[in-house]
Amino acid sequence: MATFTLSCCSTSDLNIDHYQKRNISYLCFHYFIDGIEHKDDFGESLPINEFYNKMKGGALTKTSQLNAQDYFVYFENIINSGSKEILHLTLSSGISGTINSARIAVEMISEKYPDAKIYVIDSLAASSGYGLLVDKVADIRDEGKSLEEAKDLAESFKLRVNHWFFTSDLTYLVRGGRVSRTSGFVGNMLHICPLLNVSNEGKLIPREKIIGKKKAINRIVEKMAENAENGLDYNNYCYISHSAVYEDAKAVKDKVEEKFPNLKGKVEIFDIGTTIGSHTGPGTVALFFVGKERID
């Protein structure tokens, strides 16, 4: 039986069924597409495929991080439902300032509910890598560990969650300022797929330039072989998320399952949600696993 409420944001990019099955509470971000506000609610209000089709058609997107009042109401609802111990993991501070809003809300909650205990953890992770970290914490919660033990595990474990991404469309990296307009034009012409990962500061960092999607698919699996705990004997979770390129994600999944026969279950594929997807755009595949601690 759970001894505390485990919580995260929708930017952990799993899905509603998964959160419900694992008894994980979540709070939804918001985003705008062509000026109209939507909840980042796993495609319930706007189907994920429709969202990416709009982006392909030139729709402009903008994200809106959660504010302190959003968190206050959310935490208060959990407390009023009978749980006064909460462990909340936020989207990486290297990507979003939402952790500051969560911490302000905890101060506000403490004044109104002094017997409540809420810990906020910077996941230093994003998308389904963030989700993988939350799942690892859920595992020890389900073993009956305390709130403090779960907090300590999250802090000590988070830099071992490895994130590797590639994208076959540089348009959205150009839009976000990560790639210059000239480099983006040339890169798209030459079919360059940048390989990126998340640093120890939780920031998205370009690491390699690969020509061709097939080579990028092979290279991302090589990165897992180089960095996964226990190498090819890896026996932990492996998640993939993608933005409207399921076949590419499936190609990575098939190669991973062939190369790593001792996985903890099958590789799970999830959609990159609308908040993260507003920045990556369609064409991104991301691979997440437990491995060497991120040191840069």
Side-chain angles (χ1 to χ4, degrees), residues 66-83:
L66 296 163
N67 61 39
Q69 185 62 26
D70 294 327
Y71 277 109
F72 179 88
V73 171
Y74 172 70
F75 291 146
E76 185 173 50
N77 286 339
I78 292 174
I79 291 168
N80 288 336
S81 72
S83 178

Side-chain angles (χ1 to χ4, degrees), residues 22-259:
R22 300 237 52 193
N23 191 24
I24 297 168
S25 181
Y26 61 88
L27 177 60
C28 291
F29 269 57
H30 289 76
Y31 68 97
F32 295 82
I33 187 161
D34 281 342
I36 299 174
E37 186 175 12
H38 297 270
K39 285 179 71 174
D40 178 9
D41 55 6
F42 314 102
E44 285 206 323
S45 58
L46 180 69
I48 298 289
N49 285 341
E50 186 176 339
F51 168 78
Y52 285 118
N53 284 336
K54 285 178 178 290
M55 288 192 78
K56 290 175 185 177
L60 297 177
T61 58
K62 184 176 75 170
T63 55
S64 174
Q65 72 179 33
L66 296 163
N67 61 39
Q69 185 62 26
D70 294 327
Y71 277 109
F72 179 88
V73 171
Y74 172 70
F75 291 146
E76 185 173 50
N77 286 339
I78 292 174
I79 291 168
N80 288 336
S81 72
S83 178
K84 292 188 177 180
E85 292 192 345
I86 303 168
L87 179 61
H88 180 78
L89 282 71
T90 70
L91 177 63
S92 171
S93 61
I95 294 173
S96 168
T98 189
I99 188 171
N100 297 320
S101 298
R103 287 171 172 165
I104 292 169
V106 170
E107 292 178 5
M108 296 162 61
I109 284 285
S110 297
E111 293 178 3
K112 187 172 182 180
Y113 302 93
D115 56 340
K117 187 182 292 185
I118 304 174
Y119 291 127
V120 172
I121 301 290
D122 182 354
S123 74
L124 295 177
S127 193
S128 301
Y130 173 16
L132 191 157
L133 176 61
V134 174
D135 264 345
K136 291 297 292 184
V137 178
D139 286 345
I140 69 160
R141 177 207 59 192
D142 293 348
E143 293 171 5
K145 302 296 186 183
S146 69
L147 174 66
E148 284 74 16
E149 288 172 312
K151 173 182 73 72
D152 291 344
L153 178 281
E155 290 285 15
S156 65
F157 187 82
K158 63 188 182 183
L159 288 180
R160 293 182 56 210
V161 180
N162 284 225
H163 308 54
W164 287 94
F165 302 70
F166 71 83
T167 182
S168 53
D169 188 343
L170 301 180
T171 304
Y172 305 93
L173 292 181
V174 171
R175 247 186 226 176
R178 296 188 181 276
V179 174
S180 72
R181 206 171 279 275
T182 301
S183 296
F185 176 76
V186 173
N188 280 334
M189 290 288 290
L190 297 178
H191 304 290
I192 291 176
C193 296
L195 187 67
L196 310 93
N197 77 345
V198 171
S199 72
N200 63 338
E201 296 180 335
K203 298 178 180 179
L204 192 59
I205 308 294
R207 298 296 185 184
E208 298 178 11
K209 294 178 181 178
I210 300 170
I211 298 178
K213 188 191 298 183
K214 184 175 180 180
K215 289 182 179 179
I217 289 171
N218 289 329
R219 186 60 177 143
I220 202 172
V221 178
E222 288 174 4
K223 285 295 185 183
M224 182 170 174
E226 292 169 8
N227 293 285
E229 67 175 8
N230 302 319
L232 299 183
D233 292 324
Y234 181 74
N235 60 354
N236 217 317
Y237 295 122
C238 180
Y239 294 163
I240 294 172
S241 61
H242 73 98
S243 52
V245 280
Y246 177 81
E247 292 305 317
D248 296 342
K250 178 66 163 55
V252 174
K253 169 186 165 76
D254 291 344
K255 287 181 179 294
V256 168
E257 289 181 347
E258 179 182 358
K259 203 172 189 71

